[in-house]
Amino acid sequence: MSEADSDEMDVRRAVVLDYLAHGLSEGRRRFQQSPAGYALNTADFTLYQVAFDEDARITIGTNVVVEPPEERDVIEDCRPVGYDDLSSGAQSELEYVVHDLVEENEERFVDFYNDAQPITLRLHQLNLLPGIGKKLRNTILDERKRKPFESFEELEDRVSGLHDPGDVLANRILEELRDEDLKYRTFVGQEP
């Protein structure tokens, strides 16, 4: 692997969820605030509060570099935040962005169905997904033994009762983002 490839792997990107041209309302007068907003890491789904460069032209959905700091082009600063810290605009945009990221990275998320493992003797990673109980989990495990899944469409065709497997994953990611007290995390804060 070349040094350029290694450097590219260390760059962490995020999708802008909300852009506040006049900054956050944290007690300072509006005219003294620089543009700010919220973003979602595209790899591990970390939520960020970001401060944008004054001259940056940002819209919701823009991809930006959050780490490392020397690679940032439009972000001056960022810090991780929780779901409850997001603006209402960022919270409503989050659902669409998560669903889009799952669709755009289909291979990564199909691999989850192929590679999911037991967590304990009684609990499997697949059981963490909304709507997947013991019977559906066993069907998925049996089918993947025969041949690994290659797409969401194939998953849906081969596993009777599993409807929109991408949507199921997106809903789990949203649940992990919204509930900080979840015991098991499969996607949020986990490197792919």
Side-chain angles (χ1 to χ4, degrees), residues 16-68:
V16 175
L17 299 171
D18 198 3
Y19 177 73
L20 307 162
H22 300 289
L24 304 169
S25 55
E26 294 176 343
R28 295 187 296 172
R29 296 186 186 270
R30 283 226 183 264
F31 65 84
Q32 294 175 325
Q33 296 181 356
S34 61
Y38 298 94
L40 175 71
N41 185 300
T42 58
D44 70 2
F45 300 101
T46 299
L47 294 167
Y48 293 101
Q49 180 182 72
V50 295
F52 294 107
D53 182 278
E54 292 280 344
D55 301 323
R57 297 286 177 237
I58 303 294
T59 59
I60 293 172
T62 301
N63 279 297
V64 295
V65 174
V66 289
E67 296 293 338

Side-chain angles (χ1 to χ4, degrees), residues 123-136:
L123 182 65
H124 197 281
Q125 283 181 315
L126 291 171
N127 292 118
L128 299 177
L129 301 177
I132 296 187
K134 185 177 179 181
K135 183 178 178 183
L136 202 49

Side-chain angles (χ1 to χ4, degrees), residues 5-150:
D5 291 337
S6 175
D7 289 344
E8 182 64 26
M9 288 174 54
D10 295 338
V11 172
R12 297 171 61 93
R13 299 181 187 285
V15 176
V16 175
L17 299 171
D18 198 3
Y19 177 73
L20 307 162
H22 300 289
L24 304 169
S25 55
E26 294 176 343
R28 295 187 296 172
R29 296 186 186 270
R30 283 226 183 264
F31 65 84
Q32 294 175 325
Q33 296 181 356
S34 61
Y38 298 94
L40 175 71
N41 185 300
T42 58
D44 70 2
F45 300 101
T46 299
L47 294 167
Y48 293 101
Q49 180 182 72
V50 295
F52 294 107
D53 182 278
E54 292 280 344
D55 301 323
R57 297 286 177 237
I58 303 294
T59 59
I60 293 172
T62 301
N63 279 297
V64 295
V65 174
V66 289
E67 296 293 338
E70 58 273 5
E71 292 293 322
R72 296 178 186 156
D73 52 354
V74 296
I75 292 180
E76 291 180 356
D77 193 25
C78 72
R79 67 180 181 90
V81 294
Y83 178 81
D84 292 335
D85 298 320
L86 297 177
S87 65
S88 59
Q91 287 180 358
S92 60
E93 189 66 24
L94 183 62
E95 186 173 332
Y96 300 108
V97 170
V98 169
H99 279 84
D100 288 348
L101 287 172
V102 170
E103 266 184 43
E104 292 166 10
N105 298 287
E106 182 175 359
E107 183 179 343
R108 169 186 170 191
F109 293 104
V110 168
D111 284 346
F112 172 79
Y113 284 101
N114 287 323
D115 301 333
Q117 297 295 315
I119 298 171
T120 67
L121 290 175
R122 295 178 180 223
L123 182 65
H124 197 281
Q125 283 181 315
L126 291 171
N127 292 118
L128 299 177
L129 301 177
I132 296 187
K134 185 177 179 181
K135 183 178 178 183
L136 202 49
R137 176 202 65 206
N138 290 341
T139 304
I140 293 169
L141 294 174
D142 290 344
E143 281 296 321
R144 80 179 192 188
K145 282 180 192 173
R146 291 186 191 127
K147 178 182 171 227
F149 302 108
E150 294 180 15

